[in-house]
Amino acid sequence: MNPQQHVLLVEDSHTQALNLGHVLEQAECRVDWAPTVEAAMEQLNQNSPDLIVLDYYLPGIPGDELCRRIRMNIDTRNIPILMLTTDATHDAELRGLESGADDFVPKSADPAVLLARVRTLLHRSASQVAIPGLVEQRFRRARLLTIDDSPTYQQYLIGELEQEGYQIEKAMCGTEGLEKLLREPFDCALVDLVMPEMTGIEVCRQVRSLRRLDDSIALLMLTGQETKEDLTQALEAGADDFVGKSSDMAVLKGRIRALLRRKFCQEDNRRIVEELKSKEVELVRARSEKVLAEAQAALNAELEQRVEQRTAELAKANRDLAQQTRENEMFVYSVSHDLRSPLVNLQGFGGELKATCQELRKLLEESSLPPADKQRTLSLVDDDMGMSIRFIQTAVLRLSKIVDALLQLSRAGRVEYQFQPVDVQPLVARVIDSFSVTIAERGATIQAGALPTVWGDPTTIERVIANLIGNALNYLDPNRPGLIEVSSVPSPTEDASDGHASQRTIYVRDNGLGIPDAYRDKIFKIFQRLHPEIAGGEGIGLAIVLRAVGRHGGKVWFESREGQGTTFFVSLPAPREEPASLTLACAE
């Protein structure tokens, strides 16, 4: 028994209230006394008790009317009510039960009987919401099970109860009754106290020990001998009520209706509680979804704003980069063009100086100077002046090549491309033929494999191949025969649905010096010569390759091991039926 259980005693007699309070305290209950209906209603407004013990005869509003009011209020309808009266007649009992009371006890009853019924009602009150989610139809025929070994009484009982509209099943012993209770749903079981094999007391104990059946079915004990000991044992075993077989059938029917009313009230209360919980969960979910939707919308708006801002920044950066690239190209072109005229002048002056030196040597040879002076002067003209003239001519030639390379680099970003299908095979053959002298001087071999047809500008692609082959020739190992291979490999095909054409990959492989690790991030930059003491070149060819291939929408990469050679790969778009003449920004 829960020591915190609360009992509201509604009794106008102070003496009776003291006596009843003493009995209720034996059940370890906290008792509040209300001498009038008005006082009882005020206390019910403040808090709900676990049990209401109600005098039938009260001044003003009678107890059965208060009982009806309690049952009509959704907040109090499920509180068990024990009605007390000095009138022990069957009519008074029926009126009390019909008004909504769960049990009816005469005030003259033994205190032990009253205490047993109070404990039973308190137990049912404490467990009335122990089974959540029990939802039934609101209007249905109650199903009853009679468990009795007397066929005569069974037939009599069934006949009387069927007139009340109940669905009746019968079991002739306790074992059969338990099997049916486990197999089928029942609202109430009428159990005979005295039966062979299994008594009604044992049936109640087993029903209450089964969690599936506990509190889901009302148990009413029937007995031929109505004693205080039998009543106490039955209620303690789990019975909800105790009625003698000799009692008026109307009393039995009233007791059954009271039990069913309380059971259905509890079920309705559970249903209402679950519906309220469901509504509350739906409301919380709806609020959460709304909050999440608002947060997501705010986040999306912020992200869109950031994307727009970032896109604008990138667009501006691209425009600035393109402008800067164009300015750089124009600067390179302007500087290279302006340098060409002084270089031509220097070259011309060098030639004139050389001719002058030759004329001076001729004059010296024809002069009448002493032989020693003549020889010393000729050595000065041949060695010192000749060496200076050769140095000037070599420097001018070197600078002219650099200027030509810079002009090529600037044109690589400004020239208008004529896009068309380009067969790389004959193009490579022409490039190899143009390097025939250098190939012979280096003692190298060039092998051309199968080469594809690509989409691009023929002149630019030929220059790309020439720069790669020239680079390979420049960086051959002088200590072993040079071998250069030009061929193609299968390329990964881009998804055409993304708007990208498939690519064709060409490679130029050599067995030369290889690329040192320190230069791997620099080789596509201008004026980067890896082995200037061995190789020639101006250090601009790979920069031109990168820029030209980028404008074609392709890629350039390499694989290299120092001392074992290098392979450069160039991917270019596959041919397509889309003739075009475009001037594109440089892509690096």
Side-chain angles (χ1 to χ4, degrees):
M1 189 69 63
N2 186 347
Q4 299 300 318
Q5 285 184 299
H6 173 209
V7 177
L8 175 60
L9 174 61
V10 187
E11 169 63 59
D12 62 324
S13 170
H14 186 267
T15 302
Q16 290 286 349
L18 289 175
N19 293 333
L20 291 170
H22 177 71
V23 174
L24 294 172
E25 287 174 355
Q26 296 181 35
E28 299 180 350
C29 297
R30 177 171 63 85
V31 181
D32 286 337
W33 173 45
T36 63
V37 171
E38 290 76 10
M41 299 294 287
E42 182 65 27
Q43 291 207 32
L44 288 173
N45 286 332
Q46 295 176 5
N47 52 72
S48 297
D50 299 299
L51 172 67
I52 299 175
V53 178
L54 175 64
D55 186 10
Y56 184 82
Y57 292 104
L58 291 170
I61 301 176
D64 57 348
E65 180 61 27
L66 176 59
C67 188
R68 291 187 182 92
R69 292 190 181 185
I70 292 173
R71 292 293 180 236
M72 290 174 64
N73 189 300
I74 192 171
D75 294 328
T76 60
R77 58 183 299 190
N78 209 42
I79 301 174
I81 299 175
L82 175 63
M83 188 166 286
L84 301 174
T85 181
T86 55
D87 187 353
T89 63
H90 289 166
D91 289 341
E93 184 176 356
L94 285 175
R95 288 194 302 272
L97 295 173
E98 291 293 343
S99 67
D102 296 288
D103 206 346
F104 187 97
V105 178
K107 290 185 176 180
S108 59
D110 190 287
V113 172
L114 174 61
L115 187 60
R117 291 190 176 275
V118 165
R119 284 174 172 162
T120 299
L121 290 175
L122 284 173
H123 171 74
R124 303 299 289 170
S125 173
S127 60
Q128 65 185 356
V129 292
I131 307 177
L134 196 62
V135 179
E136 301 283 349
Q137 293 178 321
R138 297 195 66 183
F139 302 101
R140 59 180 175 83
R141 294 177 64 191
R143 296 190 76 238
L144 275 60
L145 176 66
T146 62
I147 305 175
D148 199 304
D149 62 332
S150 170
T152 303
Y153 188 73
Q154 280 266 32
Q155 194 62 32
Y156 166 70
L157 197 59
I158 292 173
E160 290 291 333
L161 296 178
E162 283 181 342
Q163 295 179 11
E164 298 292 310
Y166 301 132
Q167 289 180 276
I168 311 296
E169 294 284 339
K170 65 180 180 178
M172 301 306 297
C173 65
T175 303
E176 182 185 359
L178 281 175
E179 291 177 354
K180 286 195 172 187
L181 288 173
L182 287 170
R183 190 171 58 249
E184 303 175 43
F186 290 94
D187 298 301
C188 180
L190 284 68
V191 185
D192 187 14
L193 177 65
V194 181
M195 291 184 293
E197 298 182 4
M198 182 183 294
T199 65
I201 298 293
E202 185 60 27
V203 170
C204 289
R205 286 199 184 99
Q206 293 206 27
V207 168
R208 294 307 180 207
S209 67
L210 296 173
R211 185 170 297 178
R212 174 184 165 189
L213 296 177
D214 188 27
D215 300 328
S216 67
I217 184 171
L219 296 177
L220 190 148
M221 187 73 72
L222 297 174
T223 179
Q225 298 179 350
E226 190 173 357
T227 66
K228 179 179 71 174
E229 289 76 12
D230 290 339
L231 181 145
T232 302
Q233 288 184 7
L235 295 180
E236 289 178 352
D240 295 288
D241 208 343
F242 186 95
V243 179
K245 289 185 176 180
S246 59
S247 301
D248 189 345
M249 181 55 67
V251 173
L252 176 60
K253 292 178 180 179
R255 293 278 181 172
I256 292 174
R257 284 194 294 270
L259 288 175
L260 292 176
R261 182 173 59 248
R262 185 173 68 191
K263 172 181 168 57
F264 293 155
C265 180
Q266 291 174 354
E267 291 177 355
D268 284 345
N269 188 64
R270 293 189 186 102
R271 175 180 57 80
I272 292 170
V273 169
E274 290 303 313
E275 287 179 357
L276 291 175
K277 287 181 180 179
S278 177
K279 293 295 184 183
E280 184 177 359
V281 169
E282 290 178 3
L283 181 60
V284 171
R285 183 184 297 112
R287 289 177 177 172
S288 300
E289 290 175 353
K290 182 180 179 181
V291 171
L292 288 175
E294 291 175 351
Q296 187 64 41
L299 179 61
N300 291 340
E302 182 179 354
L303 290 176
E304 289 177 2
Q305 183 179 1
R306 290 183 180 179
V307 169
E308 290 178 358
Q309 181 180 357
R310 184 58 176 164
T311 302
E313 292 174 355
L314 289 175
K316 183 178 183 301
N318 286 333
R319 289 193 301 269
D320 294 343
L321 179 60
Q323 179 65 26
Q324 183 179 359
T325 301
R326 287 192 295 270
E327 292 175 355
N328 290 339
E329 290 172 353
M330 291 302 298
F331 174 75
V332 171
Y333 177 79
S334 177
V335 170
S336 301
H337 187 273
D338 292 343
L339 285 175
R340 181 173 293 279
S341 180
L343 287 174
V344 171
N345 292 334
L346 284 174
Q347 192 172 13
F349 293 152
E352 291 179 1
L353 184 58
K354 182 177 181 181
T356 300
C357 286
Q358 291 175 349
E359 184 69 24
L360 179 60
R361 191 179 194 284
K362 184 177 178 181
L363 293 173
L364 286 171
E365 289 177 345
E366 295 175 352
S367 69
S368 58
L369 290 172
D373 293 338
K374 182 185 294 187
Q375 185 61 38
R376 187 170 56 255
T377 305
L378 287 173
S379 297
L380 180 62
V381 171
D382 290 341
D383 295 339
D384 295 344
M385 295 184 65
M387 182 182 298
S388 298
I389 291 171
R390 287 193 298 274
F391 177 80
I392 291 172
Q393 289 179 328
T394 302
V396 168
L397 180 61
R398 171 68 178 160
L399 189 55
S400 295
K401 290 182 179 179
I402 292 175
V403 169
D404 290 339
L406 287 172
L407 288 173
Q408 290 183 24
L409 181 63
S410 66
R411 282 196 294 268
R414 296 183 296 106
V415 69
E416 184 177 345
Y417 288 172
Q418 300 296 326
F419 285 93
Q420 59 186 297
V422 179
D423 186 356
V424 182
Q425 197 82 47
L427 185 149
V428 169
R430 289 198 302 271
V431 172
I432 294 175
D433 185 63
S434 69
F435 280 104
S436 57
V437 175
T438 305
I439 293 172
E441 291 177 350
R442 301 290 174 90
T445 301
I446 297 184
Q447 298 176 349
L451 293 161
T453 299
V454 298
W455 180 260
D457 178 71
T459 303
T460 304
I461 294 175
E462 184 172 349
R463 186 178 297 117
V464 166
I465 299 297
N467 283 344
L468 291 176
I469 293 177
N471 187 76
L473 287 169
N474 285 336
Y475 292 100
L476 290 175
D477 189 342
N479 299 318
R480 62 171 180 263
L483 176 62
I484 300 172
E485 180 185 357
V486 184
S487 189
S488 63
V489 295
S491 299
T493 300
E494 302 285 352
D495 186 359
S497 64
D498 293 338
H500 299 288
S502 60
Q503 301 280 308
R504 301 289 183 263
T505 300
I506 303 164
Y507 67 84
V508 177
R509 177 178 295 128
D510 65 68
N511 64 341
L513 299 172
I515 300 174
D517 292 340
Y519 283 91
R520 287 179 176 270
D521 297 331
K522 303 177 181 179
I523 63 170
F524 289 111
K525 298 179 180 180
I526 61 174
F527 305 126
Q528 294 296 323
R529 301 173 62 217
L530 309 187
H531 301 279
E533 72 281 0
I534 298 177
E538 289 71 41
I540 297 179
L542 291 179
I544 293 175
V545 168
L546 179 65
R547 180 166 298 188
V549 173
R551 285 189 60 190
H552 277 75
K555 295 187 298 182
V556 181
W557 69 99
F558 69 93
E559 296 175 358
S560 181
R561 295 185 65 182
E562 188 172 3
Q564 299 184 24
T566 303
T567 302
F568 279 93
F569 297 89
V570 174
S571 70
L572 293 169
R576 58 182 180 229
E577 296 298 328
E578 187 184 344
S581 177
L582 300 174
T583 301
L584 303 178
C586 173
E588 294 191 17

